[in-house]
Amino acid sequence: MKVILASPRGFCAGVNMAIESLDLALQAFGAPVYVYHEIVHNKYVVTTFKEKGAIFIDDLNEAPEGSTLLFSAHGVSPEIRQMAKDRKLFAIDATCPLVTKVHLEAIRFAKQHYTIFLIGHEGHDEVIGTMGEAPEAIILVESAEDVPNLQVADDSKLAYLTQTTLSVDDANRIIGALKQRFPQVIGPPKEDICYATQNRQEAVRILATDADLVLVLGSQNSSNSQRLKELSRESGTPGYLLDGASDLKPEWFEGVETVLVTAGASAPEEVVQECLDYLVEKHGAQITPHSIREEQVHFPLPRELREKALPKA
């Protein structure tokens, strides 16, 4: 069996920053450190941090007053930030800077009295946080099919923003539909879908046609990982999303000569290596790395950690 190992894959700069932040907080302040929602959408990462003493919560009332709290990479609404202050929590903001960019754009457009179409998935942590910045001004749009039914009080000032982890193709279809219905709609100065999401999608788009099967390492609640699986299937190659080698099924490999292996932006390299080891052991796989782009992005640690945790650590 031939295995094409896609690059770039796995952790992006925002995920790296969030994970490093939680590691450092546990070292500097000791367990428990409370985390509002999952630090990133990956089962392996969350389980690993639970074992180290992180406690993941969906309600700030679960964090005792005065305790250490970390906001996940997906960002939170102003309401949640205020609740943390009211409960005297030491809050560490590990929001990805690219998500923060979308929040700031939402605030700017809302202050200028625009109606904002937010392209994204209902219930996703990132979408909830962004909508919380200007709930009275934002309308969620999940698909191009939603566009004909959109109603706005004033169509002279319309703008759109996107969730950072969407399929580039899906987002463009929705943006196209919005522009056709509302020619005056404007977007952000620079697109919102993050560089890592685009790069991983581009790698699958280019490499999937050379494979008989695509394996995407990532969890089911990871939006960007789901997009990679969908993209492989759209290219005509069967694709599966899995947390690790234990999810592999023998029937997937019947008649398969070439496998493309990649990973979503929240999946650690450990689970990729576990999968590769399985393919080598069970199928005598020959692994060939294939890079379509280099990534050199790095985000600094949150200010709260730089000021208080680094000296202690």
Side-chain angles (χ1 to χ4, degrees), residues 244-266:
S246 61
D247 293 338
L248 291 168
K249 295 185 174 10
E251 58 267 28
W252 293 353
F253 300 97
E254 293 176 7
V256 168
E257 296 180 0
T258 304
V259 178
L260 172 64
V261 174
T262 188
S266 50

Side-chain angles (χ1 to χ4, degrees), residues 33-46:
V33 170
Y34 292 85
V35 184
Y36 186 66
H37 298 323
E38 294 184 346
I39 180 68
V40 294
H41 288 156
N42 184 268
K43 185 193 293 186
Y44 178 93
V45 171
V46 169

Side-chain angles (χ1 to χ4, degrees), residues 59-241:
D59 181 347
L60 290 193
N61 290 314
E62 297 176 48
E65 285 201 9
S67 57
T68 301
L69 173 74
L70 189 137
F71 295 135
S72 78
H74 308 103
V76 296
S77 67
E79 180 185 8
I80 296 299
R81 294 180 190 278
Q82 187 58 50
M83 286 179 63
K85 286 181 182 177
D86 293 344
R87 291 186 59 74
K88 299 179 175 58
L89 303 175
F90 174 57
I92 301 163
D93 188 359
T95 302
C96 172
L98 299 179
V99 174
T100 299
K101 165 185 173 289
V102 181
H103 282 228
L104 294 175
E105 289 165 349
I107 293 168
R108 177 172 63 84
F109 279 131
K111 283 182 176 177
Q112 295 172 0
H113 306 292
Y114 278 81
T115 296
I116 304 161
F117 300 123
L118 177 60
I119 302 170
H121 299 298
E122 185 175 10
H124 190 280
D125 291 340
E126 181 185 329
V127 166
I128 293 170
T130 302
M131 293 189 74
E133 295 287 1
E136 72 291 339
I138 296 177
I139 299 172
L140 181 64
V141 182
E142 293 193 90
S143 70
E145 289 69 36
D146 291 344
V147 174
N149 301 318
L150 294 173
Q151 301 294 326
V152 294
D154 178 8
D155 65 2
S156 65
K157 301 191 78 171
L158 301 175
Y160 68 83
L161 300 171
T162 69
Q163 182 181 325
T164 63
T165 54
L166 293 180
S167 156
V168 175
D169 293 338
D170 287 349
N172 285 338
R173 276 192 287 271
I174 299 170
I175 292 168
L178 285 171
K179 287 181 175 178
Q180 185 173 9
R181 169 100 192 270
F182 306 106
Q184 67 277 36
V185 70
I186 63 172
K190 185 179 179 185
E191 61 186 0
D192 292 328
I193 297 178
C194 88
Y195 76 94
T197 296
Q198 295 189 53
N199 289 347
R200 281 145 190 75
Q201 289 178 18
E202 183 184 15
V204 169
R205 190 179 289 109
I206 291 171
L207 300 173
T209 53
D210 295 328
D212 306 307
L213 173 68
V214 177
L215 299 177
V216 179
L217 277 302
S219 290
Q220 298 299 320
N221 62 340
S222 166
S223 178
N224 76 88
S225 300
Q226 286 283 2
R227 303 293 82 74
L228 296 179
K229 179 194 73 175
E230 291 168 2
L231 195 58
S232 70
R233 294 181 177 181
E234 287 171 12
S235 72
T237 306
Y240 296 96
L241 177 61

